Amino acid sequence: MSVIEVSELRKSYGGRAVVDGVSFAVEEGEIFGILGPNGAGKTTTVECVEGLRIPDAGRVRVTGLDPVADHARVARVLGAQLQESELQAKLTVREALELYTAFHDEPLDWRPLAERLGLTQKLTTRFGKLSGGQKQRLFIALALVGNPRVVVLDELTTGLDPRARRDTWELIEDIRANGVTVLLVTHFMEEAQRLCDRIAVIDKGRIAALDTPAGLIHRSAGATVISFTPSAPLDAHELNTLPALASIEDRDGRLTLSGTDETVNAVITLLARRHVTAHQLRVVDATLDDAFLDLTQEATA
């Protein structure tokens, strides 16, 4: 069942199309990612899903409801962590959590959520005194405290340190395991690759690609790179005739070869056949970063 449906969505500002015919569907229990360069239309798209902006054209449905016409009903099933948010500066963390809990008929107990997000020691701290990362963790808690069926997270871990980021990833994986559908906008490729079942890459207001992380990486022109220092010289002709070899570099005796998995396998076979040890061996596969750059290269050129 598609929990979120977006069809031919269009939104313009000042005569410029920011979202230009975007279509996708998010299935129940899925973590669906949206990637794209700055200004590509990602946030405008999810704000239309949240009912915060009115589309110029197209169709948006959340659990079968129109986010604009049925806004009150959608608010009961959808939680949102916005890209930019503020609360009254003198409101404490506890007061914010209790206030948002009161908005919902069947909220979660905010205490375990606060503990999970590292907010327990900050419950009496006023919002205006929180650090940027603490504010971000609070907004994540406020998005989840209503026990939503669908949650939209825009730049989920911006401002979080690496440990807090990974803890938050684990929380999102847990809420998905409990049946919550997640729409995630992010600039962190590692985050998208770890969390998302599928990813839509938006470029210049249009869907440039929609696939699994592995599928997007497979499309990438990025090569698999193997580098090592051989314990004995290798025959240049044998190296240059390796299958699918894209390039080879010899820098002070350290070899760097780019190609495909077939190239890597052939190198390993060659080393074994020649009884040569590969010192400081390193193999780096193409990544989601490579795929993203390939898909949006014109916009970032």
Side-chain angles (χ1 to χ4, degrees):
M1 173 183 175
S2 294
V3 174
I4 299 173
E5 299 175 59
V6 176
S7 178
E8 290 298 317
L9 179 66
R10 301 179 188 278
K11 183 67 179 178
S12 298
Y13 299 111
R16 183 176 72 89
V18 176
V19 179
D20 189 12
V22 166
S23 299
F24 61 86
V26 182
E27 304 306 313
E28 188 168 14
E30 185 175 31
I31 299 179
F32 187 94
I34 296 181
L35 298 178
N38 291 331
K42 307 182 300 298
T43 293
T44 298
T45 298
V46 298
E47 286 178 346
C48 290
V49 171
E50 294 159 337
L52 299 178
R53 296 196 184 275
I54 300 174
D56 296 333
R59 183 177 186 271
V60 180
R61 293 292 183 270
V62 177
T63 65
L65 302 171
D66 184 323
V68 176
D70 304 310
H71 189 74
R73 294 172 66 190
V74 169
R76 295 191 184 100
V77 298
L78 185 145
Q81 171 255 322
L82 307 179
Q83 188 179 65
E84 295 183 6
S85 300
E86 287 293 328
L87 294 175
Q88 205 277 338
K90 293 186 177 180
L91 198 69
T92 67
V93 171
R94 180 190 295 274
E95 289 169 339
L97 289 165
E98 290 179 343
L99 176 64
Y100 274 63
T101 296
F103 293 155
H104 301 280
D105 296 329
E106 299 179 3
L108 297 174
D109 182 348
W110 60 262
R111 293 165 187 82
L113 196 56
E115 178 70 27
R116 186 74 181 271
L117 287 164
L119 294 170
T120 302
Q121 303 304 316
K122 297 294 180 179
L123 292 177
T124 59
T125 303
R126 299 185 188 281
F127 179 79
K129 298 294 184 181
L130 297 176
S131 69
Q134 291 162 353
K135 289 179 180 179
Q136 186 75 345
R137 295 200 299 272
L138 175 57
F139 285 123
I140 294 169
L142 297 179
L144 299 174
V145 75
N147 195 19
R149 182 177 170 189
V150 182
V151 64
V152 180
L153 304 168
D154 194 347
E155 302 299 344
L156 169 68
T157 56
T158 297
L160 300 188
D161 61 55
R163 183 177 298 279
R165 182 176 296 138
R166 290 183 181 276
D167 290 344
T168 303
W169 292 349
E170 291 178 5
L171 172 62
I172 299 308
E173 288 170 335
D174 287 348
I175 68 165
R176 190 271 287 277
N178 290 327
V180 178
T181 302
V182 179
L183 180 59
L184 174 68
V185 179
T186 183
H187 277 112
F188 290 107
M189 298 299 146
E190 183 184 1
E191 181 169 281
Q193 191 165 344
R194 168 167 171 169
L195 293 179
C196 297
D197 299 298
R198 291 186 299 141
I199 296 171
V201 179
I202 297 182
D203 188 17
K204 299 178 182 178
R206 296 174 177 268
I207 299 281
L210 199 167
D211 208 334
T212 64
L216 291 175
I217 292 169
H218 183 70
R219 299 187 195 189
S220 170
T224 299
V225 177
I226 180 170
S227 59
F228 60 94
T229 302
S231 61
L234 293 170
D235 181 79
H237 176 72
E238 284 188 300
L239 290 173
N240 285 310
T241 56
L242 289 169
L245 180 70
S247 67
I248 183 169
E249 178 183 1
D250 185 341
R251 180 174 296 180
D252 298 326
R254 182 166 181 81
L255 299 176
T256 300
L257 299 89
S258 62
T260 66
D261 288 344
E262 185 181 6
T263 312
V264 173
N265 292 333
V267 169
I268 293 171
T269 300
L270 174 62
L271 290 169
R273 188 169 64 246
R274 298 302 181 201
H275 304 289
V276 173
T277 301
H279 296 293
Q280 297 177 313
L281 176 67
R282 186 181 182 193
V283 179
V284 179
D285 289 325
T287 66
L288 194 55
D289 285 279
D290 298 315
F292 178 80
L293 291 173
D294 288 344
L295 290 164
T296 61
Q297 58 185 343
E298 290 183 8
T300 56

